[in-house]
Amino acid sequence: MGAPGIPRSLVASLIPRPVSVTQGDGVFVLDAATAVDAPAALRGVAAWLQGALRPATGLQIAAGVGGNVVLLTEPGLAAEGFELTVTPAEVRIAGGSAAGVFYGCQALLGLLPPAIHRRAPVAGIRWQIPTGTVHDAPRFGWRGVMLDVARHFLPKREVFRFLDLMAMHRLNMLHLHLTDDQGWRLEIRRYPRLTEIGAWRRETQVGAGPDAPGNGRPHGGFYSQDDIREIVAYAAERFITVVPEIESPGHVQAALAAYPQLGVSGGNLEVFTRWGINYNVLNMAETTVRFFTDVLNEVMDLFPSPYIGVGGDECPKDQWILDPRTQQRIAELGLADEEELQSWFIRRLNDHLRSAGRSLFGWDEILEGGGAPGATVASWRGTAGAVAAARSGCDVVSCPDDQAYLDYRQSDSPREPIPVSVVLTLRDVYHFDPVPAQLTAAEAEHVLGGQGNIWTEHMDSPRTVDYFAFPRLCALAEALWSAKGGDFEDFDRRLQLHLARLDALGVEYRRAAGPLPWQQRPGVPGRPETQDQRAAHIAALVANIALPADFASGS
Ligand code: ACM
């Protein structure tokens, strides 16, 4: 099968690594008679599979009863699990749910030559699948990626492509970071200036650090509500939940540029053109709470996700400390300090989301000043947030920066483009474990899974996103799907064939030898840190995470 040097073995190429595999002697051959047989409830999956098999093979791949590619659900299997059985006469994909069947279809593609991912017939390939069985089920239910479309906008066609690549890797949660200081990317009908003003900036800082110059070039873009409905539907067809995130009460300068009355000073600001933590934050007036709950109402109408992100990270308290109106508000509300004020705001959003049957999703700063009952915490500053949240009974999605921040530099070579923070290699990501070692088994139940975070300050095009995301996202997918304790050398061997799949799809992944000339950014400064510098930085940031035991059961 396939190109020279590519092993035929069934096990040889699957990413993520399955629970178990047996391999037979023969092959199943896709030909003009190949047809998909699926019950009505799996018609969407069947249509997807037909669409995936047709272009490269040039075969019709019909659908109908008696077809030799059989899809079915089998309640005895794990919800997202599947059993793929290939004999010379038949391919049978049984899943614990439609999602499980879909993942079985993805595994089937993984058993075909990589050219299956091309979109025109490829001559000279025998489309054969080795016989055998694959049993598989994921370790975690939250296998996610955070995509920052606020710092650099990704047009919706790129989001569709990214969703396809997620689905191929059986990743199922797309955390879409829709708003930040540098851009508001979601149409809100009630507050049109959020995108009229907030969706574009005058220019962009190039590189890291206070001396990095601006490029003098406007940047912008946003998703209309119709665009979002398409993105959500496209994701759902691929069993991906899109978790929207509307940042607050910091990371809001794009909103303040549109509606200055939301700010502490009320003065005019432009959409931020610099990177880094920004001191301009929301005021805590009742009208501001109402503005954000109005926004969240439109967000909930658009996104069926059970989780709605409200941000909560990196909100400097300086303006609140200096502002008499905010100090009076703290006194009126009977709060101790600015941290409790932030927590009060997050709880107001939490109440609103809970009363609508949704659950608040926020960065681990939401644990400061008291936390929000029932919230799910994205733990990013190392693992301190994950440990505190799980111990207090909150659900956790782990994304510790030093294991899962895919914007961090991929090697210590000076050729890495705009290198930030510590080195996070493919091997490091492969060894990411969302469950901190300190947790007991009962506490670990609160870890829903993990996600890789793709912050795009220094990724100004989809090509650069490819460079930072791949192949590290392949390693992350295995870390979140497969059993703990995988062997990196084994993964790396399987990856060689997997890269041929990414080539067929046109993914501009990072080569093991480093960036290609056009993937470099000579002369653009980054902000690399040593492990010690980063550890000291994170330790200072998490010093005030503290929650009482059993906090989450309160309300
Ligand atoms: C974050 O990296 N500020 C969540």
Side-chain angles (χ1 to χ4, degrees):
M1 101 185 202
I6 291 176
R8 278 193 73 229
S9 157
L10 216 160
V11 263
S13 65
L14 286 176
I15 287 181
R17 185 182 80 257
V19 169
S20 77
V21 176
T22 59
Q23 190 173 357
D25 290 330
V27 291
F28 175 96
V29 180
L30 293 181
D31 59 23
T34 303
V36 181
D37 179 351
L42 294 177
R43 256 189 218 133
V45 182
W48 181 88
L49 181 61
Q50 290 173 280
L53 294 176
R54 277 174 183 152
T57 63
L59 298 168
Q60 192 209 340
I61 315 286
V65 176
N68 56 357
V69 176
V70 180
L71 309 185
L72 69 159
T73 45
E74 217 168 79
L77 296 171
E80 293 183 287
F82 65 86
E83 191 178 277
L84 164 62
T85 312
V86 182
T87 68
E90 185 181 86
V91 172
R92 184 178 178 278
I93 303 174
S97 64
V101 179
F102 180 71
Y103 297 135
C105 292
Q106 291 287 359
L108 183 71
L109 292 194
L111 299 177
L112 279 159
I116 193 67
H117 293 287
R118 296 200 176 267
R119 294 193 195 185
V122 185
I125 293 191
R126 198 167 133 84
W127 298 103
Q128 62 187 31
I129 304 165
T131 57
T133 60
V134 181
H135 289 258
D136 211 354
R139 179 176 172 209
F140 294 106
W142 189 300
R143 304 180 301 280
V145 188
M146 192 276 318
L147 193 56
D148 171 10
V149 293
R151 269 52 176 272
H152 280 103
F153 180 64
L154 279 182
K156 78 177 174 192
R157 62 174 185 274
E158 295 297 334
V159 179
F160 295 144
R161 175 177 175 274
F162 197 79
L163 286 163
D164 280 329
L165 291 166
M166 283 181 67
M168 174 187 181
H169 293 88
R170 302 184 219 157
L171 295 164
N172 67 344
M173 304 299 277
L174 175 63
H175 167 183
L176 210 48
H177 183 75
L178 286 163
T179 71
D180 214 304
D181 295 309
Q182 297 83 3
W184 184 286
R185 308 281 173 225
L186 173 66
E187 178 193 15
I188 297 294
R189 297 252 161 94
R190 184 160 186 159
Y191 301 114
R193 287 171 60 87
L194 285 170
T195 44
E196 286 166 8
I197 304 291
W200 72 276
R201 60 177 177 261
R202 186 173 48 77
E203 67 166 2
T204 298
Q205 173 181 335
V206 181
D211 302 327
N215 64 1
R217 182 181 183 190
H219 176 84
F222 69 94
Y223 308 110
S224 71
Q225 297 206 348
D226 284 339
D227 292 336
I228 291 293
R229 278 185 270 272
E230 282 182 77
I231 288 171
V232 166
Y234 194 87
E237 281 168 11
R238 287 151 185 77
F239 301 91
I240 296 170
T241 300
V242 184
V243 180
E245 183 187 11
I246 303 295
E247 272 274 13
S248 64
H251 287 284
V252 289
Q253 189 161 321
L256 302 185
Y259 294 96
Q261 65 269 33
L262 298 171
V264 176
S265 74
N268 286 328
L269 293 165
E270 65 171 356
V271 176
F272 206 34
T273 60
R274 309 293 300 170
W275 307 130
I277 297 178
N278 180 351
Y279 288 90
N280 293 306
V281 302
L282 295 178
N283 69 48
M284 292 289 100
E286 201 53 36
T287 46
T288 301
V289 176
R290 194 162 330 122
F291 186 100
F292 273 79
T293 53
D294 286 343
V295 168
L296 291 177
N297 287 342
E298 292 194 32
V299 168
M300 287 191 281
D301 283 346
L302 289 167
F303 294 90
S305 165
Y307 303 94
I308 304 289
V310 302
D313 60 319
E314 297 177 327
C315 176
K317 307 298 184 294
D318 308 59
Q319 288 190 333
W320 291 349
I321 291 170
L322 294 173
D323 176 48
R325 195 169 58 136
T326 306
Q327 291 304 313
Q328 191 188 338
R329 188 83 170 131
I330 289 174
E332 267 167 27
L333 293 168
L335 302 173
D337 57 20
E338 293 73 24
E339 277 189 5
E340 285 198 6
L341 183 64
Q342 161 150 352
S343 179
W344 169 85
F345 180 77
I346 296 290
R347 280 173 185 249
R348 290 292 303 273
L349 301 185
N350 193 41
D351 291 345
H352 188 73
L353 294 173
R354 273 160 73 106
S355 68
R358 308 294 183 96
S359 174
L360 182 144
F361 178 62
W363 299 107
D364 58 36
E365 285 91 335
I366 67 170
L367 296 168
E368 295 165 359
T376 297
V377 175
S379 170
W380 73 275
R381 299 175 297 177
T383 54
V387 172
R391 288 199 171 143
S392 69
C394 286
D395 284 344
V396 173
V397 175
S398 287
C399 44
D401 67 305
D402 59 337
Q403 296 178 70
Y405 267 37
L406 302 185
D407 58 324
Y408 285 10
R409 58 202 164 114
Q410 305 192 58
S411 78
D412 59 10
S413 161
R415 290 180 300 128
E416 292 297 344
I418 317 184
V420 297
S421 197
V422 294
V423 174
L424 183 64
T425 64
L426 181 65
R427 184 188 292 267
D428 296 330
V429 176
Y430 186 74
H431 290 304
F432 169 41
D433 184 353
V435 180
Q438 305 93 304
L439 295 184
T440 64
E443 290 162 354
E445 294 281 306
H446 287 292
V447 180
L448 305 181
Q451 63 182 33
N453 292 341
I454 303 178
W455 297 108
T456 60
E457 287 95 330
H458 307 299
M459 299 179 209
D460 59 4
S461 80
R463 301 185 71 177
T464 315
V465 172
D466 270 15
Y467 177 80
F468 279 90
F470 293 99
R472 290 189 292 187
L473 214 55
C474 313
L476 182 96
E478 184 151 319
L480 297 175
W481 175 283
S482 304
K484 196 175 155 155
D487 170 28
F488 177 75
E489 311 308 331
D490 167 60
F491 166 79
D492 201 34
R493 267 192 301 278
R494 282 178 286 123
L495 184 65
Q496 300 320 304
L497 189 134
H498 195 73
L499 294 179
R501 296 183 189 120
L502 298 184
D503 281 328
L505 287 163
V507 176
E508 296 187 272
Y509 56 85
R510 179 185 184 277
R511 270 55 180 173
L516 296 165
W518 56 90
Q519 292 171 326
Q520 300 172 28
R521 295 296 298 272
V524 180
R527 202 206 307 261
E529 284 180 308
T530 63
Q531 290 287 353
D532 286 348
Q533 286 167 334
R534 180 213 148 260
H537 176 65
I538 293 288
L541 288 179
V542 297
N544 51 3
I545 289 185
L547 278 181
D550 293 330
F551 154 80
S553 53
S555 60

